[in-house]
Amino acid sequence: MANHFLVSIIQLLIFSSANFIFIIPTATSAKSEKLTHLHFYYHNNIAGLRATAVPINPKLQPVDLRDPASLFGRLIIADDPLTSGPSLENSTVVGSAQGMYGSASQTEMSFAMVFNFALTQGKYKGSSFCLLGRNPIFTNPRELAIVGGTGAFRFSRGYAILKTYYMDMQTGASTIVEYDVYIRHY
């Protein structure tokens, strides 16, 4: 009789388990969420001896910054320095932006960006966050999403406000972008 009762309880749990939601508390759920603001400059250079970004699929026709179609379809892999100020030579390197961006519009200069921002200095040294989104480079300011991270930024989410600080308008080979990043994390 006791075995029959136990089997009935097990069957009841198995057949009705789709109706139950089990919440298991974790150490993360007990911590309070923080908002962190980071400010730095991103340096991208696709030409010369100090290139930090490399086109994966260069096209034969030259790029004309006035014609978005001339850039459409290009994919670039980057390992770009992040600095505390706009000058690469006179600022502290605080991390690197490693990832890729591709020209995703035929009608405007807009990139689809997928980047990991790895921090190498300060309170968040060793942590990183992931940036993802559409970057219309001639729009100031513009906003991209923070969709995760590692270290101090596990379970993070937020946004980054970008403003072009400098762009070589002749070739587009060198660009400096100011980042204000707001990250919610535990």
Side-chain angles (χ1 to χ4, degrees):
M1 185 81 165
N3 286 341
H4 179 67
F5 178 73
L6 184 59
V7 169
S8 295
I9 294 294
I10 291 172
Q11 287 175 338
L12 178 64
L13 288 174
I14 290 171
F15 293 121
S16 63
S17 65
N19 297 326
F20 292 102
I21 297 175
F22 296 99
I23 299 175
I24 302 169
T26 64
T28 302
S29 63
K31 294 180 182 178
S32 63
E33 195 173 45
K34 300 175 214 142
L35 176 64
T36 296
H37 173 235
L38 302 172
H39 180 262
F40 51 81
Y41 292 83
Y42 162 96
H43 300 262
N44 183 261
N45 185 6
I46 60 171
L49 296 174
R50 298 182 66 187
T52 60
V54 178
I56 299 294
N57 56 349
K59 291 185 176 182
L60 297 176
Q61 80 254 22
V63 171
D64 179 354
L65 292 179
R66 295 163 296 174
D67 178 16
S70 73
L71 194 61
F72 179 68
R74 287 198 184 206
L75 182 63
I76 297 170
I77 300 294
D79 184 4
D80 294 323
L82 307 173
T83 61
S84 59
S87 169
L88 186 57
E89 290 75 27
N90 300 318
S91 300
T92 302
V93 174
V94 297
S96 63
Q98 299 169 332
M100 65 181 115
Y101 58 95
S103 179
S105 175
Q106 295 183 58
T107 59
E108 69 175 322
M109 289 294 184
S110 181
F111 294 117
M113 296 187 67
V114 179
F115 270 87
N116 290 307
F117 283 72
L119 303 177
T120 58
Q121 298 292 320
K123 180 179 178 179
Y124 300 107
K125 178 180 180 177
S127 297
S128 68
F129 61 89
C130 303
L131 179 129
L132 175 70
R134 180 179 175 272
N135 184 1
I137 63 172
F138 291 129
T139 301
N140 273 322
R142 51 208 184 266
E143 182 177 322
L144 281 82
I146 305 300
V147 296
T150 65
F153 299 126
R154 281 187 203 125
F155 298 109
S156 67
R157 66 191 191 287
Y159 63 96
I161 302 293
L162 286 63
K163 293 180 216 152
T164 302
Y165 181 84
Y166 167 80
M167 179 185 285
D168 176 350
M169 291 305 293
Q170 296 300 316
T171 64
S174 179
T175 306
I176 302 169
V177 180
E178 182 178 11
Y179 274 71
D180 274 299
V181 178
Y182 298 88
I183 303 175
R184 289 216 177 265
H185 60 99
Y186 294 98

